[in-house]
Amino acid sequence: MENTPHVILVGAGAQQFAVENGFTLESVELSEDAKKAYAEWLKKSEYKPVINIENKKQNGPFAPNFFDDGTANHDTMGLVAMDAMGNLSGAVTTSGMAFKLHGRVGDSPIIGAGLFVDNEIGAATSSGTGEEVIRICGTHLVVEFMRQGYSPEMACKKAVQRIVKRDKEKAKTLQVGFLAMNKKGQYGAYAIQKGFVFSVKSNNENQIHQSKYLL
Ligand code: GLY
């Protein structure tokens, strides 16, 4: 965004730009667990990715805890921050999603879906099933709710409610969590399901919180 007139580059063009700007091309080796999981997946080759729900044991070749080492097939980490001058910022990184269609784009790289920062109002980030977040422009929605005067936690809750209202049965099978901070440094989170945790670090606080949840 600083070195081109654009907001997002993807695919071959993004790779070319990265290499031209000093990144080294590397090939990615699958771990032994990932090789086994992929071999299992190839037996049916069904595109049915399963999202990690922290409080649920999910079984089968597409389940998040399929890997022997206990790692999930999907996880996202988001961060919102305020500096000493009161400026807000945010970041989000994702593992992506295992067993997806080639070319799938999740919410994390999409501004207003996985991350949105408006330095006048607040910042928000999301974790979970990216498709559901994209469908409601999730983090933009959270920031807009804060603009309307809702607390960060209530803004996150209202965005979660929007997802659940679209399809409650589907929502029971997936997880989305939002995390937000407003311009006063107040913070909050909300998730569809139990188990979404977030950490807070400030001059006064250094602890892990369990997010409230809807279902
Ligand atoms: N939330 C990250 C993803 O769906 O890829």
Side-chain angles (χ1 to χ4, degrees):
M1 288 171 71
E2 286 158 4
N3 297 330
T4 80
H6 310 303
V7 173
I8 303 180
L9 297 177
V10 300
Q15 178 173 300
Q16 181 186 336
F17 183 79
V19 171
E20 283 170 6
N21 284 276
F23 283 82
T24 309
L25 266 186
E26 292 175 20
S27 59
V28 178
E29 291 291 323
L30 289 181
S31 68
E32 287 310 309
D33 277 339
K35 278 184 198 162
K36 263 170 41 191
Y38 183 54
E40 190 65 27
W41 178 83
L42 281 175
K43 290 178 187 166
K44 289 192 181 162
S45 304
E46 283 179 331
Y47 290 107
K48 285 186 182 166
V50 177
I51 294 301
N52 187 29
I53 301 175
E54 296 87 350
N55 69 324
K56 292 199 173 144
K57 176 97 179 137
Q58 294 155 279
N59 295 311
F62 312 116
N65 47 9
F66 177 73
F67 299 122
D68 289 345
D69 66 1
T71 53
N73 77 357
H74 175 274
D75 244 327
T76 306
M77 197 181 77
L79 169 78
V80 290
M82 178 181 279
D83 70 13
M85 309 294 289
N87 289 312
L88 291 162
S89 59
V92 63
T93 176
T94 179
S95 62
M97 182 188 274
F99 311 122
K100 62 184 181 289
L101 277 169
H102 185 56
R104 181 253 185 192
V105 178
D107 58 327
S108 302
I110 300 179
I111 293 168
L115 178 70
F116 195 71
V117 181
D118 181 333
N119 201 27
E120 281 186 9
I121 302 297
T125 183
S126 70
S127 175
T129 315
E131 282 73 5
E132 302 311 310
V133 179
I134 295 170
R135 286 188 172 106
I136 63 155
C137 300
T139 53
H140 182 259
L141 187 61
V142 171
V143 171
E144 289 309 299
F145 281 137
M146 290 195 284
R147 193 188 306 277
Q148 291 171 20
Y150 290 101
S151 69
E153 182 182 294
M154 187 52 81
C156 291
K157 181 177 182 180
K158 286 178 77 65
V160 167
Q161 283 172 328
R162 181 81 60 99
I163 292 173
V164 173
K165 191 174 170 206
R166 291 184 78 251
D167 189 336
K168 188 166 182 186
E169 286 312 305
K170 187 174 172 192
K172 286 178 188 167
T173 68
L174 50 87
Q175 173 70 309
V176 170
F178 291 105
L179 170 69
M181 183 190 279
N182 66 15
K183 198 65 183 168
K184 296 179 197 156
Q186 296 165 326
Y187 59 81
Y190 222 90
I192 297 179
Q193 315 228 22
K194 189 177 176 184
F196 181 60
V197 293
F198 63 102
S199 310
V200 178
K201 177 81 184 90
S202 72
N203 289 340
N204 312 319
E205 193 179 341
N206 185 11
Q207 60 185 26
I208 295 174
H209 297 262
Q210 285 285 343
S211 150
K212 292 183 188 163
Y213 53 96
L214 202 62
L215 298 183

